[in-house]
Amino acid sequence: MADFVSSGWSTFITVVTLVSVAFCFWLAYAMASAKVTTDDKGNVKSTGHVWDGDLQELNNPLPRWWLYLFYITNVFAVVYLWLYPGLGTFKGQLGWTQQSQYEAEMKKASEAYDPLFEKYLKQDIAAVAKDPEAVAMGERLYLTYCVQCHGSDARGSTGFPNLADKDWLGAGDGEYIKTTILNGRQAVMPPMAAAVGSPDDVDKLAHYVLSLSGGAHESFKAALGKDKFATCAACHGPDGKGNAAIGAPNLTDKVWLYGGGLSQVVYAINNGRNNEMPGFGHLMGDGKAHVLAAYVYSLSQ
């Protein structure tokens, strides 16, 4: 009911639901009390519907078992609507909610599974990454929480980092990975076109950036764009090797999150980049995050 701002909607839904149930009761009663009409010979009369010359629809009553089943269904509907939410904002006598059931099931699951992960919390993540049983558990966690973005082989795709190499925007150790899993990461590169200058200056700077990693570029434009790199040095460093402390990528290798072509680099300079990994701490807790971090760490070792 959160999308309906007027309390009148609750009344409307309640009335329509109760009237519908009452109509079903009346319909069952009307069918049960209807009398069968017969002709002079005692045969059940036809309704008048005839097909293929002699195929008639007779006015036979509905089977009693069918009517009783219909009554039971209606009674069940009334009991259900009294016990559970279904009549507008009425919460039902049991006070059941999806949230409370979810929390109860999660609590039960935690009591059963948390002890399996707690023993690994006492170990360093690098040590856990060498335990085959822990790595197998971490792989199953990865397939549950991470595969949608990073892929089944953990090699990522455009905009989603490859977790199977040794290239990290941060420290890349076990604790760094675990912190990322628990709290997520927010990565932002601001648009730099205004600071760089004209579109021609942006193009020259892009050629220089590509030259740092040996990518396809025009040497003449790269030489002219070198001075413009001063606008990037604050984050990426004067040599373009990045800054792990703030997550600024190394521009001298051939690892590109969004592609290493000229058009992608020009786009990044003009428009910036904004990327986010959500935190999963509220879903898995410390123990699971520890084992998952060990699995991810093992991929790049």
Side-chain angles (χ1 to χ4, degrees):
M1 296 302 296
D3 295 333
F4 298 94
V5 297
S6 173
S7 60
W9 281 110
S10 175
T11 303
F12 173 78
I13 291 173
T14 301
V15 170
V16 169
T17 303
L18 293 178
V19 168
S20 299
V21 173
F23 173 78
C24 289
F25 269 111
W26 173 85
L27 181 62
Y29 174 78
M31 294 295 100
S33 59
K35 295 182 178 180
V36 178
T37 57
T38 59
D39 57 20
D40 296 337
K41 297 181 180 180
N43 298 320
V44 177
K45 287 185 177 181
S46 170
T47 61
H49 300 155
V50 181
W51 296 270
D52 296 334
D54 59 352
L55 183 60
Q56 302 181 62
E57 180 183 359
L58 301 181
N59 190 27
N60 285 314
L62 291 171
R64 289 294 172 180
W65 67 265
W66 189 93
L67 289 170
Y68 293 148
L69 186 60
F70 196 17
Y71 275 127
I72 292 172
T73 302
N74 289 322
V75 171
F76 174 83
V78 172
V79 174
Y80 181 91
L81 292 171
W82 175 250
L83 296 177
Y84 294 94
L87 297 175
T89 56
F90 177 64
K91 296 181 179 179
Q93 289 299 302
L94 297 181
W96 176 90
T97 63
Q98 290 179 332
Q99 181 67 24
S100 63
Q101 181 174 338
Y102 169 78
E103 291 174 352
E105 291 178 356
M106 290 301 295
K107 181 180 179 181
K108 184 178 180 181
S110 295
E111 292 173 352
Y113 299 120
D114 282 356
L116 300 176
F117 298 97
E118 287 177 357
K119 66 178 182 179
Y120 295 113
L121 281 173
K122 302 174 183 179
Q123 303 177 35
D124 181 73
I125 290 178
V128 178
K130 297 178 182 179
D131 186 321
E133 182 181 358
V135 170
M137 293 168 64
E139 182 179 16
R140 289 191 288 272
L141 290 170
Y142 175 87
L143 294 174
T144 300
Y145 294 102
C146 314
V147 69
Q148 295 85 351
C149 294
H150 296 283
S152 59
D153 59 359
R155 296 187 180 278
S157 61
T158 302
F160 301 100
N162 181 353
L163 303 179
D165 61 14
K166 292 182 178 292
D167 186 80
W168 294 90
L169 294 181
D173 58 17
E175 288 302 321
Y176 172 85
I177 297 171
K178 181 179 177 180
T179 300
T180 302
I181 293 171
L182 288 172
N183 305 318
R185 295 284 178 184
Q186 178 72 48
V188 178
M189 172 182 166
M192 301 299 294
V196 173
S198 67
D200 186 56
D201 291 329
V202 169
D203 182 64
K204 293 173 182 176
L205 173 59
H207 279 275
Y208 175 73
V209 170
L210 289 171
S211 73
L212 295 175
S213 59
H217 66 283
E218 296 181 26
S219 300
F220 177 72
K221 289 185 176 181
L224 295 176
K226 183 176 182 179
D227 291 341
K228 296 296 180 180
F229 190 74
T231 58
C232 313
C235 293
H236 296 282
D239 54 1
K241 292 186 177 181
N243 186 341
I246 60 174
N250 181 357
L251 303 178
T252 65
D253 58 20
K254 292 184 178 295
V255 179
W256 297 90
L257 186 58
Y258 293 95
L262 179 63
S263 61
Q264 289 92 344
V265 177
V266 169
Y267 180 92
I269 296 171
N270 284 327
N271 303 288
R273 294 288 187 185
N274 194 327
N275 208 354
E276 179 180 5
M277 172 182 165
F280 288 87
H282 65 291
L283 292 175
M284 62 177 64
D286 197 48
K288 290 182 180 179
H290 197 80
V291 173
L292 176 56
Y295 171 72
V296 174
Y297 178 79
S298 71
L299 295 175
S300 60
Q301 301 305 307

